Amino acid sequence: MRGLFPRTAAALLLLCQAQFVLGKRVVVDWNVGYVNVNRDNTKMRRAIGVNGALPILPVFATKGDTLILNVANSLDETTSVHAHGLFQNGTSYLDGPAMVNQCGIPPGESFSYEYMIDQPGTYWLHGHDHHQNSDGFRAPLVIYDNHNPFDYDEDILLSFEDWYKEEFAERAKITLDPAFAFPPPHGYGHALINGYNGNYTKPIYFHPGKTYRLRLINIGTLRWFQFTLPGHEMRVIEMDGIDIEPQVVEGLDIAPAQRYSILVTARNSVEFNYRYNATMYASFVPPSNGLEPRVYLGDIIYREGAPFKMPNSHSQTWFADDVDFHSFDGEPALPVDRSIRMTIGNNPYHTGQHLDHINNITYSPPKVPTLYTALTMGEVAMTPRVYGPQTGAVVLKHLEVVEVTIHNPNDMPHPLHLHGHAFQIIEYGLAESPFPTPDTFKNTPTRRYSGSPAKRDTMTIPMHQYIKLRFRADNPGVWFMHCHLDVHFIMGMAMVFVEAPDVLQRTMTVPPQMLDFCKRQGVHTWGNAAGNDGYNFGGLSDPPRIVARPPGTTGHT
Ligand SMILES: *[C@@H]1O[C@H](CO)[C@@H](O)[C@H](O)[C@H]1NC(C)=O
Ligand SMILES: *[C@@H]1O[C@H](CO)[C@@H](O)[C@H](O)[C@H]1NC(C)=O
Ligand SMILES: *[C@@H]1O[C@H](CO)[C@@H](O)[C@H](O)[C@H]1NC(C)=O
Ligand SMILES: *[C@@H]1O[C@H](CO)[C@@H](O)[C@H](O)[C@H]1NC(C)=O
Ligand SMILES: [Cu+2]
């Protein structure tokens, strides 16, 4: 025994050093297929899981590692994986979105996503083809840092998601049905916490005096979660993978796809147990007819059998806002080279449908993945037009700083996600609108960053407001930006940034296996959005045209 300890310690030390220098290879095998589950005590339904199970286990890695995600497709349609929040610097072809960055993996085929793990923080992995994430194909991804700037004793993960008794395809059919001017409100569904029916999820355990890092992730599709921790102080230290100056908050409002880490120091006594409160809601759903916010309470156990104490929550909890936080790295607001204005919303179209748009363009996929157009069209790749009339492509110059101002005159908030970057949150204010602004919104105050602006990859654009964001185009690639509410995504609220195609053409080689996936589906791996030369878009169907809407309507969805 006596000799053993030092040897083990030495071996451990060696292992740690090896990890520090080389990083390790973390191999995860995912066989993606259909499963039958009853996750919310309503009924069995078909869903999409991994290795025959749902929830999909979270994936853990450490900065410096290489994560090999082996994906075998056992579905009857193509699939792909997006590592939400990873910048894929130099590897835009691994970003995932089907027909943006790759052709989906055909049924019966496999592909290995090899991710360089250089961003510590809280992320998630999800399907990015056919909205498979909405049917369960999603899991947290936690990246530890051996040199993390914050002190804590233990890491605890809490994932939140909304879950419905019908498959997403059923919902999509109703959403896109011309018979519905505005689709009927989606049933509220149930919340799952760490993959299990909300109120019945496993407790978390606190020990007096210890400090915990709670990672809060909304991997859902349609609902926000308000998180409070009565009786405890919450210090926010991370937002969407980016460290922020520790900031005490009373509550956090977590939109689909957003993440936060908070530090919580346990109380000094084991006299009482406590509960956290995760309330699922959507501000745009009128709270009636069973669509009231749903409160879920999770146990925090100090001592088994101790009575629960639920301190009075404030009548007015302060839910923190993006502009209340400051980036930990102290980076000042970037000096702007170019301003881009966008309006997002919902309109009636000549097809009889109500669809969503960004700058009047309803996104629909091109016939060639946009990245492959950028790589194969030479100088023409610098013109937005080559990416087709239905992708809303904006071409960015290498290293320019863009400020994007997005107006949302709509009656609902939209959590927009930008791939490939985190952007600085500069300002919120009252949106300009072609429609009369309801009085209740007219006094919306402007909120602006102070100090070093916070950065994140998914932000809520509140209803009737605009947001200003900045980022530097320092990541050549093709990056999707879309609403992370999948019902809006499917209605076309999406566009692509094509960043530095000239640099891409000099530096990027797409793995031949990926090109092969296209060929076997009869998809070209070169050419414009229609798979032709130059600006010949023959074969590409016309995008839907906006028709007049009745005056005064802003478009509920
Ligand atoms: C939980 O939080 C919601 C709002 O975030 C609040 O309305 C509700 O009263 C809280 N419930 C409890 C039991 O604290
Ligand atoms: C969860 O449990 C709490 C406390 O018992 C209850 O107030 C709440 O309504 C439950 N939530 C749901 C959605 O059933
Ligand atoms: C979008 O269409 C509306 C008319 O429906 C028009 O007033 C507006 O200028 C258009 N915006 C853009 C960016 O094309
Ligand atoms: C990508 O890598 C380049 C070169 O190392 C770096 O300058 C740039 O900041 C990186 N961009 C992002 C978004 O990580
Ligand atoms: Cu939306």
Side-chain angles (χ1 to χ4, degrees):
M1 274 309 277
R2 283 181 71 205
L4 197 64
F5 173 67
R7 232 190 356 250
T8 316
L12 267 174
L13 194 72
L14 218 86
L15 198 73
C16 291
Q17 281 169 346
Q19 276 179 23
F20 178 67
V21 179
L22 300 167
K24 55 187 186 306
R25 285 169 74 83
V26 178
V27 180
V28 176
D29 293 316
W30 274 9
N31 186 348
V32 185
Y34 300 107
V35 293
N36 281 308
V37 285
N38 179 359
R39 309 183 81 188
D40 54 4
N41 284 334
T42 58
K43 63 166 196 172
M44 290 296 271
R45 56 155 283 193
R46 191 174 82 151
I48 297 178
V50 150
N51 306 335
L54 199 61
I56 303 169
L57 294 177
V59 173
F60 299 95
T62 302
K63 183 180 171 183
D65 290 351
T66 303
L67 172 61
I68 320 276
L69 182 65
N70 296 316
V71 179
N73 183 6
S74 297
L75 302 170
D76 58 19
E77 59 187 15
T78 54
T79 192
S80 70
V81 175
H82 171 54
H84 187 117
L86 299 195
F87 298 146
Q88 303 295 359
N89 201 339
T91 48
S92 185
Y93 52 83
L94 292 181
D95 196 43
M99 298 315 284
V100 179
N101 303 78
Q102 70 167 99
C103 289
I105 306 165
E109 301 283 324
S110 302
F111 183 72
S112 293
Y113 288 91
E114 188 164 326
Y115 303 128
M116 297 302 148
I117 299 297
D118 53 8
Q119 296 167 249
T122 311
Y123 304 91
W124 57 303
L125 297 162
H126 66 81
H128 220 303
D129 196 0
H130 302 287
H131 305 272
Q132 289 153 358
N133 54 309
S134 297
D135 286 322
F137 186 14
R138 53 197 182 199
L141 166 64
V142 173
I143 301 175
Y144 299 119
D145 188 355
N146 289 327
H147 304 275
N148 121 63
F150 307 108
D151 259 352
Y152 52 90
D153 300 297
E154 232 180 272
D155 222 294
I156 297 175
L157 185 62
L158 289 175
S159 72
F160 306 101
E161 63 197 295
D162 49 343
W163 188 252
Y164 304 94
K165 57 184 187 301
E166 73 272 17
E167 290 182 40
F168 183 74
E170 284 178 52
R171 176 63 197 169
K173 219 160 69 193
I174 297 170
T175 303
L176 298 174
D177 187 341
F180 295 106
F182 297 111
H186 200 296
Y188 236 68
H190 291 89
L192 310 178
I193 300 178
N194 284 344
Y196 294 97
N197 199 3
N199 264 349
Y200 305 95
T201 199
K202 284 189 198 125
I204 57 182
Y205 293 88
F206 273 12
H207 297 282
K210 284 203 169 174
T211 296
Y212 298 86
R213 177 183 190 149
L214 267 58
R215 297 178 190 260
L216 314 172
I217 317 185
N218 184 346
I219 59 175
T221 24
L222 218 45
R223 302 290 176 233
W224 276 248
F225 284 87
Q226 287 187 332
F227 184 87
T228 52
L229 200 51
H232 297 78
E233 186 181 83
M234 311 201 284
R235 271 177 296 153
V236 185
I237 54 165
E238 179 217 335
M239 197 159 84
D240 293 359
I242 312 278
D243 288 341
I244 58 176
E245 288 289 344
Q247 165 89 47
V248 175
V249 299
E250 291 176 1
L252 287 169
D253 206 353
I254 315 170
Q258 291 185 332
R259 296 87 66 204
Y260 288 97
S261 283
I262 56 176
L263 292 185
V264 180
T265 298
R267 301 176 69 94
N268 274 323
S269 138
V270 298
E271 192 183 354
F272 296 108
N273 293 326
Y274 289 80
R275 291 194 170 100
Y276 60 80
N277 175 344
T279 294
M280 180 173 81
Y281 81 107
S283 56
F284 48 89
V285 179
S288 63
N289 305 321
L291 295 178
E292 291 82 13
R294 292 203 165 159
V295 177
Y296 294 89
L297 302 175
D299 293 351
I300 299 174
I301 305 294
Y302 278 81
R303 180 169 56 87
E304 295 288 357
F308 281 90
K309 186 169 180 178
M310 209 57 191
N312 285 339
S313 43
H314 302 259
S315 54
Q316 279 288 297
T317 300
W318 170 58
F319 286 94
D321 192 275
D322 298 340
V323 291
D324 296 326
F325 300 110
H326 311 286
S327 178
F328 189 78
D329 64 14
E331 186 182 26
L334 295 165
V336 179
D337 296 314
R338 175 177 172 194
S339 297
I340 298 174
R341 189 197 146 93
M342 295 182 188
T343 300
I344 59 177
N346 177 275
N347 267 93
Y349 284 79
H350 81 282
T351 53
Q353 295 163 302
H354 268 70
L355 297 172
D356 284 347
H357 65 85
I358 297 182
N359 280 350
N360 291 350
I361 295 170
T362 294
Y363 180 89
S364 63
K367 299 186 98 175
V368 170
T370 301
L371 176 65
Y372 300 170
T373 297
L375 286 169
T376 58
M377 289 304 282
E379 273 179 33
V380 174
M382 296 302 286
T383 64
R385 219 181 124 205
V386 77
Y387 301 99
Q390 83 301 2
T391 59
V394 171
V395 178
L396 300 177
K397 286 207 231 69
H398 192 39
L399 300 180
E400 70 180 342
V401 172
V402 286
E403 179 173 82
V404 188
T405 306
I406 307 172
H407 289 257
N408 174 20
N410 222 207
D411 283 343
M412 42 191 334
H414 298 281
L416 279 207
H417 168 45
L418 173 64
H419 291 229
H421 290 278
F423 30 61
Q424 295 183 321
I425 312 265
I426 301 296
E427 190 178 294
Y428 288 91
L430 185 66
E432 285 165 23
S433 171
F435 316 109
T437 305
D439 288 340
T440 40
F441 292 100
K442 281 190 177 143
N443 293 324
T444 301
T446 300
R447 287 117 61 222
R448 206 174 149 77
Y449 81 95
S450 64
S452 167
K455 290 176 267 197
R456 71 184 316 167
D457 60 47
T458 308
M459 73 292 158
T460 298
I461 310 183
M463 49 183 120
H464 297 284
Q465 295 194 36
Y466 72 81
I467 185 171
K468 275 187 201 295
L469 310 162
R470 289 181 195 168
F471 66 97
R472 189 187 298 280
D474 60 1
N475 189 10
V478 169
W479 308 116
F480 216 7
M481 185 167 85
H482 60 90
C483 180
H484 229 289
L485 305 183
D486 277 72
V487 289
H488 297 168
F489 186 9
I490 203 166
M491 290 165 95
M493 192 177 283
M495 54 81 65
V496 288
F497 283 107
V498 180
E499 194 172 317
D502 46 346
V503 178
L504 274 180
Q505 289 172 10
R506 289 199 305 270
T507 54
M508 182 167 286
T509 310
V510 176
Q513 193 195 358
M514 301 192 98
L515 302 178
D516 213 47
F517 288 156
C518 293
K519 286 177 192 142
R520 267 171 310 131
Q521 295 167 60
V523 173
H524 285 185
T525 53
W526 57 268
N528 64 24
N532 300 328
D533 282 325
Y535 298 115
N536 166 11
F537 293 108
L540 200 64
S541 45
D542 283 339
R545 284 188 316 279
I546 291 178
V547 297
R549 65 162 75 246
T553 54
T554 61
H556 307 257
T557 41

